[in-house]
Amino acid sequence: MLLMLRESVSCRLWVAMDRWYLCKNFFAFLEANNFDWVTKAKRNTALFRKVIEPGTRRERFVPLTPVMLIREVFRNLTRQASSGLCSISIPDIYMKRPYTTVNKKGEQVTRQRFVPVAAVAAMRLKEDEHPETNSAETEGEDGPATYKGAYLLISNRHDVPEEALRTYVKRWRIEVFFRTAKQELAFEKCHSESEAHHHAHFELLFAAETLLAVALFELNKEKTSDEGCTHGEMVRGLFHTRCQIRVNSRKGCPRISIDCDTKVRQFSRLIELFWPEHYLMFLWVTPKPEIYLYLPRAA
């Protein structure tokens, strides 16, 4: 899927991923295809700090764990604003990455080298406000590196750690979308075995969610949170609306009327925004040629 996306655009793109995707070979694949990545460090993620020895001025890489890094900056982290996202970037952090080379015998061998990474300690992430979605967090080595509610984010963009943080924060919107898509938009209800059908199902679902977002904004923009409509109420009201289609004529002009129940009145603004000026319908009548039907929008 990433390679298909790369065929469409040539600019650098961010990939924000959960810690389960933390794999050095995958990181190398992303960077080779002009992708930047950011993820949450695991407890067993091996990190190193580059230090310069005072006497010899030689570079040395000291191993450490993500939790050790969080503890170093935790006091300064908590001194920031009492509410909202807070973060601290930790410089001179490296990670071992495998690469393939040829030895003196002409054989291909895999070796390790140190590459710089961005390390950002952060707390009060948006996902922490919804603990039910993090119930699967494990306490083992594959669990997230955390210390008193603070996490460590790592990224290949060591030159712009703030941008890596902003990118990871956007990942939560994707998690919310998939949760609502599964619970309210039948994301997992496509029973076809065709890949093309699955893609079409997802694309229609994305279009429906986009319309819902616009409708939700139009409905709630002048209301308080108590008066507003939730995403689930929007789905039940807009997609489960009963309607009746009638064919009649007025002054000799044929018309098609769509009568909706009273539930749809709250979506009148949305319908006014997106209802087309006319419909151009194609009716195939065998063996006669096609008939084009032009339907103007009623006042």
Side-chain angles (χ1 to χ4, degrees):
M1 293 176 63
L2 291 171
L3 292 178
M4 292 173 60
L5 177 61
R6 178 49 67 203
E7 294 176 359
S8 304
V9 295
S10 58
C11 61
R12 296 181 69 97
L13 296 174
W14 277 97
V15 177
M17 68 192 83
D18 193 22
R19 70 182 188 282
W20 301 112
Y21 294 92
L22 200 159
C23 173
K24 295 180 181 179
N25 292 329
F26 184 47
F27 293 165
F29 162 81
L30 292 175
E31 295 174 17
N33 289 277
N34 204 23
F35 288 99
D36 296 324
W37 55 267
V38 58
T39 185
K40 187 183 292 184
K42 295 190 291 188
R43 294 176 184 272
N44 59 353
T45 302
L47 298 176
F48 301 84
R49 169 176 284 142
K50 184 173 72 171
V51 297
I52 306 297
E53 294 181 350
T56 61
R57 305 299 298 173
R58 294 178 57 185
E59 293 183 352
R60 188 163 60 93
F61 293 90
V62 180
L64 42 78
T65 65
V67 176
M68 292 169 59
L69 286 178
I70 301 174
R71 287 181 175 179
E72 286 182 6
V73 300
F74 185 77
R75 179 173 297 180
N76 293 331
L77 194 65
T78 54
R79 288 175 181 174
Q80 297 184 16
S82 59
S83 62
L85 178 66
C86 58
S87 63
I88 292 180
S89 176
I90 307 173
D92 297 326
I93 302 302
Y94 286 73
M95 173 187 290
K96 275 187 177 181
R97 290 272 296 278
Y99 71 99
T100 303
T101 186
V102 179
N103 59 15
K104 296 180 179 180
K105 297 181 180 180
E107 302 172 342
Q108 283 192 348
V109 293
T110 300
R111 295 179 178 173
Q112 302 284 336
R113 61 184 170 192
F114 293 98
V115 296
V117 294
V120 182
M123 63 186 306
R124 306 189 192 103
L125 297 173
K126 193 71 175 178
E127 55 201 75
D128 294 334
E129 300 177 7
H130 304 269
E132 69 278 0
T133 60
N134 297 327
S135 57
E137 300 282 9
T138 60
E139 296 297 332
E141 295 298 321
D142 287 334
T146 179
Y147 177 74
K148 296 183 179 180
Y151 302 91
L152 185 72
L153 305 179
I154 56 176
S155 169
N156 66 310
R157 293 302 302 272
H158 59 92
D159 54 332
V160 284
E162 297 82 7
E163 185 176 351
L165 174 65
R166 290 194 298 267
T167 301
Y168 184 83
V169 170
K170 295 178 181 178
R171 188 189 69 90
W172 180 246
R173 303 178 188 174
I174 304 175
E175 298 289 347
V176 173
F177 164 74
F178 277 105
R179 182 186 62 188
T180 56
K182 292 177 181 178
Q183 295 178 353
E184 300 167 0
L185 295 179
F187 182 85
E188 300 172 320
K189 299 300 182 181
C190 181
H191 302 291
S192 174
E193 297 181 357
S194 169
E195 182 180 359
H197 291 176
H198 282 283
H199 287 175
H201 175 71
F202 297 156
E203 290 170 3
L204 288 173
L205 188 144
F206 295 157
E209 176 62 22
T210 302
L211 287 174
L212 278 172
V214 176
L216 199 62
F217 172 77
E218 289 291 334
L219 192 64
N220 294 343
K221 64 181 181 180
E222 297 180 356
K223 299 180 180 179
T224 64
S225 58
D226 296 334
E227 299 172 346
C229 190
T230 65
H231 187 279
E233 291 171 343
M234 294 291 295
V235 172
R236 292 188 293 271
L238 188 58
F239 291 158
H240 299 170
T241 298
R242 294 176 298 173
C243 63
Q244 181 181 10
I245 301 176
R246 296 182 293 107
V247 179
N248 54 20
S249 60
R250 182 178 180 183
K251 297 181 181 180
C253 180
R255 296 193 173 202
I256 296 178
S257 301
I258 302 177
D259 299 331
C260 300
D261 59 17
T262 56
K263 188 71 175 179
V264 83
R265 288 183 179 177
Q266 59 182 329
F267 306 109
S268 58
R269 174 60 178 163
L270 176 71
I271 295 174
E272 182 181 356
L273 285 174
F274 292 100
W275 195 272
E277 293 293 334
H278 64 273
Y279 284 109
L280 187 61
M281 301 179 65
F282 300 89
L283 305 179
W284 284 267
V285 181
T286 307
K288 296 180 181 180
E290 302 91 27
I291 301 175
Y292 298 90
L293 183 61
Y294 179 83
L295 301 175
R297 183 175 71 173

